[in-house]
Amino acid sequence: MRYIHTGPAPARRNDWQTLKSLWPYVWAFRTRVLLAVVCLVIAKVANVLTPIWLKDIVDELGRPPSLLVLPLAALAGYGLARLATSVFGELRDALFARVTQGAIREIAIRVFRHLLSLSMRFHMGRRTGGLARDIERGTKGIGFLLNFTVFNILPTLLEIGMVTGILLWRYEWPFAVLTLGTIAAYVLFTLKVTERRMVYRRTMNALDSQASGKAVDALLNYETVKYFDNEAYESRRYDHDLSRWVDSAVRNQVSLNLLNMGQGVIITAGMTALLWQAAAGVVQGHMTVGDVVLVSAYLTQLYAPLNFLGFVYREIRHALADMERMFDLLGNAQEVADRPDATVLDAREASLAFEHVDFSYEPDRQILHDISFSVPAGGSLAVVGASGAGKSTLSRLLFRFYDPTGGRVLVNGRDVRSYTQASLRAHIGIVPQDTVLFNDTIAYNIAYGRPQASQEEIEAVARAAHIHDFIQSLPKGYDTQVGERGLKLSGGEKQRVAIARALLKSPPILVFDEATSALDTRTERAIQVQLEKIAQGRTTLIIAHRLSTIVHADHILVMEQGRVVEQGTHAGLLAQSGRYARMWQLQQSAPQEPEFHGPRQAPEPV
């Protein structure tokens, strides 16, 4: 089934929106930011003074030999200026490191929490690999943006202002005009060309996420790929996206080369004009060789970072594009959110009811039609029916993964929407049909039901789930790694881990969604007895295919195409001779699964 995210799609952000979103995380470290700015200003002032001291040294050393005196003051000033530039530059970097890394951490955890808070509909319509790449590129973009804005753009702009002022103060106005004119031409050319190039970057990002998503999807479903011999097919799909990415990357690189050539022409023309004018001033006698050195030093100081500024600007625009995708994730509204007046559910026992519940994943395909039932506290209800009847959707509505499109789901007589989601889910334990485990140890996966549980409690529920002996037989026992999605364990072993996990949570409401479907008949019988003991005193919702596992349920619903077509006790439904009775007869007449007692012994030779 294809689920479509129906929430409002975030509009394309502009750079100011992205920067505005970033600013609160930076300003949270305001003391360090202000101290770093102070160090930045001191370092740049010292850097701008360095050529002035150098000019004085050159002029002093250019005197006739009879008048030549060692320029101690100029040498001392030059040394101190160089030292201050280096020391305060390093202090600035050290102070700002905490700002950058702290902002990245806060944004990353906020995005992560937000993604976890979004509805199942959102996650079923997204590729995990693509999401991971968006977050990875976005956090890297934040580090690049902050570092190069504070360490390159602001210092360069400050230096341009100070150098222009000094040139106007000490020399004729054409020097300042040529300097500013060259910078303006360079910046305008860079902005115009870079804006055109951004379309290539955005396309590259989209294709990169798409290709990564397909690759991760194929790797996560490695077994399925192998089952159907589709390695070549998956490689072709991945290569198709990579080839489109390569086309965009080539266009991006060619446009970059053209940009660099244009920038080189502008900078060379500006430097040549300024040096020509300075040399002419020396020939005419109103400028000294030290003045030429001063102008040349300023040109070097300005145009070296300015040339780098072109790269920085391009990368900052790329970083903003990367951050744009990450911040857009925060723009996805929660489809299922706590009400402002939501209360905390705190009960040792709980009743459960559905009142005229309708539900559809998509507007044109309704899944549930007017479902009504109730389960008293400590009671049990079983739901049976063919695949696609809507059985598992009941548990999703109970957990508030979705909200019903009509009617109400009640716990202890109150709409579940009146409770906080965290407290509601804390009262429900589930053994799902498709058990997916974390790529960690068996102990970790069992303890996920209650992370603070002790080792003794973990082993106790493992015994109840009939998996303790198997775990103990493993070389590393409970510290055995289960692999990606638990692929190192069989289906039955994973399901027993899920049962142990639910038992450890020990909630007042238990949901068994085909809880023993992956078990052999012998193990199923043993665990079924244990589950019945554990379910005593708890409200239990059992979604089952094997009718033999629900004969003792207090009440049974038979669903078909999202509707309740029969309901009653096991004996009552058999007496009705309806759908349930036919299902029972079919399952009873089916060949029973033979129990496995180990390999047959070879006959003794005679």
Side-chain angles (χ1 to χ4, degrees), residues 46-366:
N47 196 42
V48 169
L49 291 176
T50 301
I52 295 178
W53 292 115
L54 184 60
K55 166 192 163 12
D56 291 342
I57 292 172
V58 171
D59 285 342
E60 289 294 326
L61 295 177
R63 296 176 182 275
S66 58
L67 301 175
L68 187 61
V69 178
L70 189 65
L72 294 177
L75 287 169
Y78 179 82
L80 289 174
R82 296 280 295 184
L83 180 63
T85 300
S86 175
V87 169
F88 283 98
E90 295 299 327
L91 283 175
R92 174 202 65 188
D93 294 359
L95 286 167
F96 209 73
R98 175 68 64 177
V99 179
T100 301
Q101 302 306 322
I104 289 174
R105 175 193 173 193
E106 291 299 322
I107 293 172
I109 192 63
R110 184 185 171 191
V111 172
F112 182 70
R113 286 173 178 164
H114 183 72
L115 289 175
L116 290 180
S117 73
L118 294 178
S119 69
M120 185 176 286
R121 193 189 309 273
F122 171 85
H123 287 282
M124 295 185 79
R126 297 283 296 200
R127 289 185 180 272
T128 304
L131 278 178
R133 290 300 291 269
D134 287 344
I135 297 173
E136 178 187 358
R137 284 199 307 262
T139 52
K140 286 183 178 179
I142 291 169
F144 190 95
L145 177 70
L146 291 178
N147 284 325
F148 280 91
T149 298
V150 174
F151 302 158
N152 188 277
I153 291 182
L154 289 180
T156 301
L157 293 176
L158 180 63
E159 191 168 5
I160 288 172
M162 288 190 292
V163 167
T164 303
I166 290 173
L167 291 176
L168 283 171
W169 168 51
R170 297 182 69 101
Y171 306 110
E172 298 175 353
W173 61 265
F175 282 92
V177 171
L178 274 174
T179 302
L180 289 178
T182 304
I183 293 171
Y186 180 94
V187 170
L188 290 174
F189 175 77
T190 301
L191 291 176
K192 186 174 181 179
V193 176
T194 303
E195 283 299 322
R196 291 185 177 181
R197 295 185 61 244
M198 286 309 298
V199 65
Y200 301 135
R201 183 66 179 198
R202 285 196 174 92
T203 303
M204 287 171 61
N205 283 353
L207 292 172
D208 183 44
S209 295
Q210 186 173 324
S212 176
K214 288 181 179 178
V216 171
D217 202 23
L219 293 173
L220 288 177
N221 294 283
Y222 168 83
E223 276 190 275
T224 305
V225 175
K226 285 290 186 182
Y227 286 148
F228 293 94
D229 192 28
N230 276 337
E231 294 94 329
Y233 171 71
E234 291 296 340
S235 297
R236 285 195 302 270
R237 291 179 70 218
Y238 184 47
D239 185 56
H240 175 69
D241 286 335
L242 286 181
S243 65
R244 295 169 61 198
W245 178 85
V246 167
D247 291 339
S248 290
V250 169
R251 287 194 291 267
N252 183 63
Q253 183 61 45
V254 171
S255 63
L256 172 61
N257 298 138
L258 293 174
L259 176 60
N260 288 338
M261 286 190 289
Q263 290 170 336
V265 170
I266 294 172
I267 289 176
T268 302
M271 290 186 68
T272 302
L274 280 168
L275 287 175
W276 180 281
Q277 189 164 358
V282 173
V283 171
Q284 294 169 7
H286 56 80
M287 292 182 69
T288 65
V289 174
D291 291 320
V292 176
V293 171
L294 176 65
V295 172
S296 177
Y298 278 148
L299 289 175
T300 303
Q301 285 184 193
L302 279 181
Y303 287 132
L306 190 60
N307 186 45
F308 190 57
L309 185 63
F311 161 77
V312 170
Y313 175 75
R314 293 192 303 272
E315 291 304 311
I316 283 178
R317 296 289 287 129
H318 296 165
L320 287 169
D322 294 339
M323 291 165 56
E324 175 185 319
R325 291 179 67 90
M326 185 180 69
F327 279 120
D328 279 347
L329 295 175
L330 294 174
N332 286 278
Q334 289 179 262
E335 180 184 344
V336 178
D338 288 341
R339 292 175 176 174
D341 59 345
T343 60
V344 174
L345 175 60
D346 186 10
R348 293 189 176 180
E349 57 182 26
S351 62
L352 171 63
F354 276 52
E355 289 186 350
H356 305 288
V357 170
D358 296 323
F359 178 73
S360 59
Y361 292 110
E362 300 175 13
D364 57 349
R365 185 185 178 189
Q366 190 164 338

Side-chain angles (χ1 to χ4, degrees), residues 392-591:
S392 295
T393 301
L394 299 178
S395 65
R396 291 175 176 177
L397 293 177
L398 176 60
F399 271 94
R400 278 205 76 196
F401 291 162
Y402 304 93
D403 282 332
T405 51
R408 299 189 302 166
V409 179
L410 307 176
V411 170
N412 282 348
R414 294 185 60 182
D415 194 322
V416 293
R417 287 171 285 201
S418 67
Y419 299 120
T420 61
Q421 294 176 70
S423 66
L424 171 67
R425 291 166 186 162
H427 285 68
I428 309 171
I430 187 170
V431 181
Q433 180 179 8
D434 182 19
T435 300
V436 177
L437 303 181
F438 292 93
N439 190 3
D440 211 299
T441 65
I442 294 178
Y444 175 87
N445 278 282
I446 294 177
Y448 204 75
R450 183 155 50 88
Q452 67 274 19
S454 66
Q455 183 65 27
E456 291 75 17
E457 291 173 312
I458 293 172
E459 292 182 10
V461 294
R463 288 189 180 93
H466 289 253
I467 197 173
H468 174 74
D469 292 341
F470 163 74
I471 297 172
Q472 291 289 71
S473 70
L474 299 172
K476 294 185 178 179
Y478 282 85
D479 292 328
T480 301
Q481 295 283 331
V482 303
E484 189 81 40
R485 299 166 67 240
L487 291 177
K488 291 183 180 180
L489 302 181
S490 70
E493 290 157 0
K494 288 196 295 183
Q495 204 150 30
R496 280 178 279 178
V497 169
I499 292 170
R501 185 165 59 190
L503 298 181
L504 187 62
K505 188 176 183 181
S506 189
I509 300 175
L510 279 173
V511 179
F512 299 126
D513 188 354
E514 303 281 6
T516 58
S517 62
L519 304 178
D520 61 83
T521 304
R522 186 178 183 181
T523 305
E524 180 189 37
R525 289 173 183 169
I527 290 182
Q528 195 64 41
V529 173
Q530 189 66 39
L531 291 179
E532 289 173 5
K533 291 180 181 178
I534 294 162
Q536 290 179 0
R538 292 187 172 91
T539 306
T540 311
L541 176 63
I542 309 166
I543 298 167
H545 173 69
R546 296 177 186 174
L547 302 188
S548 59
T549 63
I550 51 95
V551 293
H552 299 297
D554 297 335
H555 199 72
I556 300 172
L557 298 183
V558 182
M559 292 186 64
E560 187 174 291
Q561 295 182 352
R563 291 180 171 85
V564 176
V565 294
E566 289 181 354
Q567 57 181 304
T569 63
H570 173 69
L573 288 170
L574 288 180
Q576 293 179 23
S577 299
R579 289 179 175 84
Y580 182 85
R582 289 194 295 272
M583 292 168 61
W584 176 262
Q585 291 172 359
L586 286 171
Q587 291 191 15
Q588 292 301 305
S589 62

Side-chain angles (χ1 to χ4, degrees), residues 10-70:
R12 183 181 177 277
R13 305 167 62 90
N14 59 43
D15 294 341
W16 289 114
Q17 285 178 306
T18 302
L19 292 172
K20 186 178 179 181
S21 298
L22 175 62
W23 177 247
Y25 300 96
V26 176
W27 194 238
F29 302 89
R30 58 180 64 88
T31 301
R32 285 179 173 269
V33 171
L34 294 174
L35 288 174
V37 170
V38 169
C39 290
L40 182 154
V41 172
I42 294 174
K44 276 302 157 187
V45 169
N47 196 42
V48 169
L49 291 176
T50 301
I52 295 178
W53 292 115
L54 184 60
K55 166 192 163 12
D56 291 342
I57 292 172
V58 171
D59 285 342
E60 289 294 326
L61 295 177
R63 296 176 182 275
S66 58
L67 301 175
L68 187 61
V69 178
L70 189 65

